[in-house]
Amino acid sequence: MSANDDIQDALTRHQIFVLRYARGRENEAAQFVRNAILSVVERMEAEPFGDNQQRNAALISELYQYLITLNTGHTENLISELERFAEYEANYVAKMMSAKVESRFEQIAAQQVNQAVFGNVMNIEPIRGYKIRDALEDFGVMNAEKVQTLLREGILLGTSNEEIADSIRAIAPTQERRAMTLARTVTNYAANTARNETIKQNTDILEGYKWVATLDSRTSLICASRDGKIYEIDDRNPKPPAHFNCRSTITFVVNPEFDLGKDIKGTRPSKGDVKADVSGDTTYAQWLRKQSPAFQDRVLGPARAKLFRSRRLSLDRIVDDRGNVLSLDELGIDDDLFT
């Protein structure tokens, strides 16, 4: 097996560990949000709202600040956990690469890894320009404002304390899901940033990186369109996560002089109409063409899938440079095809 295929196989399978680790952070985030919201209800029930508007306003302000304080603690705990995780990922990559190539692979310092993980902005739609801490703190503010709005509206409409409490409990499932999504996304961002920093430290051995998406029906169109693309080592080039809940990762492209056995092809896992490994150099587009029309419809939608099957539309045309999925009008597709 070539070094490139061997590395891709190792990193793709390691991504399963990353996603499992992320699941732990998701569960912690969900439990935090649930407990925070329920604790607000407990406090409200201990000091119910009454007819004194000044006191009511003070209680709302107090509960708002209480939620902000709780979120600050959760944010610090998650950042501390992600710092250790990013360091682990950098160490794993260095050890794995040293075993795969005929050269010493440089390991980067923990401080350098974490400076990139927490100092760089995340180019994730729709929060482009946010750093991890910004995104976590913004979620805390959003959560506190939702509760604050329910409290104010309830008092303004003369709703009973019991009904206000019920309305606050009702938002918990949605807020839990949002917290889980954010935790999953920043974890994948930390893992891929650690890999990117390692790439930049070893440009004598590496000449680029390749986008690797998951071969199944849940993969987004932007990740499907980028799967298998090789990018130069440049911070301006896109890297996962491309969006919330992104599962894609990057693997390394080794300089040919270090790529032993390059004529021997590796494999990668897939889950389409059947669950099976496919050739390591198979792209998402090539893999999707071998799936049934029903599977293609589920992934692309019936209209785009019909164009894909007719070869009038390739996956890399479906999204623009920023990862936005283009409409049929934007693609310049004539509706006559469907009439």
Side-chain angles (χ1 to χ4, degrees), residues 125-146:
E125 298 293 352
I127 61 166
R128 291 174 68 91
Y130 270 57
K131 298 177 182 178
I132 285 182
R133 182 181 294 277
D134 296 334
L136 295 174
E137 291 178 349
D138 192 60
F139 172 81
V141 171
M142 177 195 68
N143 187 52
E145 287 178 346
K146 281 186 174 294

Side-chain angles (χ1 to χ4, degrees), residues 134-164:
D134 296 334
L136 295 174
E137 291 178 349
D138 192 60
F139 172 81
V141 171
M142 177 195 68
N143 187 52
E145 287 178 346
K146 281 186 174 294
V147 171
Q148 182 184 60
T149 298
L150 290 173
L151 293 172
R152 286 176 172 169
E153 290 179 348
I155 293 172
L156 182 64
L157 296 174
T159 307
S160 69
N161 282 277
E162 292 76 12
E163 290 173 320
I164 295 174

Side-chain angles (χ1 to χ4, degrees), residues 268-289:
R268 61 184 298 195
S270 74
K271 189 176 180 180
D273 290 320
V274 296
K275 185 177 181 180
D277 286 354
V278 297
S279 173
D281 58 5
T282 301
T283 65
Y284 194 97
Q286 293 168 337
W287 172 78
L288 186 60
R289 287 205 180 278

Side-chain angles (χ1 to χ4, degrees), residues 35-53:
N35 291 342
I37 289 177
L38 293 180
S39 67
V40 166
V41 173
E42 291 175 359
R43 282 178 166 236
M44 192 191 78
E45 291 175 336
E47 296 184 68
F49 295 104
D51 296 330
N52 188 322
Q53 296 304 312

Side-chain angles (χ1 to χ4, degrees), residues 11-288:
L11 290 178
T12 300
R13 296 184 190 281
H14 181 72
Q15 185 70 357
I16 297 173
F17 159 78
V18 173
L19 295 176
R20 286 175 178 169
Y21 173 84
R23 178 58 60 87
R25 309 294 73 73
E26 294 169 40
N27 292 337
E28 291 170 356
Q31 183 177 7
F32 159 73
V33 170
R34 180 167 58 253
N35 291 342
I37 289 177
L38 293 180
S39 67
V40 166
V41 173
E42 291 175 359
R43 282 178 166 236
M44 192 191 78
E45 291 175 336
E47 296 184 68
F49 295 104
D51 296 330
N52 188 322
Q53 296 304 312
Q54 186 175 357
R55 176 180 176 275
N56 289 343
L59 285 175
I60 292 175
S61 178
E62 179 184 325
L63 291 174
Y64 174 87
Q65 192 55 52
Y66 172 68
L67 283 175
I68 294 295
T69 301
L70 287 180
N71 189 75
T72 298
H74 173 69
T75 294
E76 294 304 325
N77 289 337
L78 181 53
I79 286 178
S80 178
E81 181 69 30
L82 290 178
E83 284 178 347
R84 292 192 293 271
F85 173 66
E87 292 170 19
Y88 171 85
E89 284 296 290
N91 291 337
Y92 164 78
V93 168
K95 291 178 181 178
M96 183 275 294
M97 289 297 297
S98 294
K100 303 295 184 185
V101 297
E102 294 290 318
S103 180
R104 185 175 183 276
F105 206 76
E106 292 293 332
Q107 182 175 328
I108 60 176
Q111 182 179 3
Q112 181 180 344
V113 174
N114 284 315
Q115 184 177 7
V117 170
F118 299 102
N120 295 348
V121 298
M122 300 186 294
N123 289 320
I124 305 171
E125 298 293 352
I127 61 166
R128 291 174 68 91
Y130 270 57
K131 298 177 182 178
I132 285 182
R133 182 181 294 277
D134 296 334
L136 295 174
E137 291 178 349
D138 192 60
F139 172 81
V141 171
M142 177 195 68
N143 187 52
E145 287 178 346
K146 281 186 174 294
V147 171
Q148 182 184 60
T149 298
L150 290 173
L151 293 172
R152 286 176 172 169
E153 290 179 348
I155 293 172
L156 182 64
L157 296 174
T159 307
S160 69
N161 282 277
E162 292 76 12
E163 290 173 320
I164 295 174
D166 288 342
S167 69
I168 294 174
R169 291 190 191 96
I171 69 170
T174 299
Q175 295 304 91
E176 288 174 36
R177 288 193 295 272
R178 288 173 175 168
M180 292 174 71
T181 294
L182 181 57
R184 181 185 310 129
T185 303
V186 298
T187 300
N188 197 23
Y189 173 79
N192 281 290
T193 300
R195 292 187 188 184
N196 183 54
E197 292 303 304
T198 304
I199 291 173
K200 289 155 59 177
Q201 189 79 8
N202 292 274
T203 54
D204 56 329
I205 299 174
L206 304 175
E207 60 178 16
Y209 66 92
K210 182 164 73 170
W211 191 290
V212 180
T214 303
L215 298 182
D216 67 16
S217 62
R218 295 190 294 124
T219 294
S220 68
L221 293 181
I222 179 175
C223 290
S225 69
R226 291 176 177 173
D227 182 55
K229 285 190 176 182
I230 295 176
Y231 296 92
E232 295 181 353
I233 302 173
D234 189 329
D235 283 338
R236 293 171 295 182
N237 285 330
K239 298 168 190 71
H243 54 82
F244 283 108
N245 291 326
C246 182
R247 296 171 296 153
S248 292
T249 187
I250 57 175
T251 186
F252 306 147
V253 179
V254 177
N255 188 306
E257 66 179 284
F258 297 102
D259 189 4
L260 305 179
K262 53 183 172 289
D263 294 328
I264 305 175
K265 299 299 181 183
T267 61
R268 61 184 298 195
S270 74
K271 189 176 180 180
D273 290 320
V274 296
K275 185 177 181 180
D277 286 354
V278 297
S279 173
D281 58 5
T282 301
T283 65
Y284 194 97
Q286 293 168 337
W287 172 78
L288 186 60

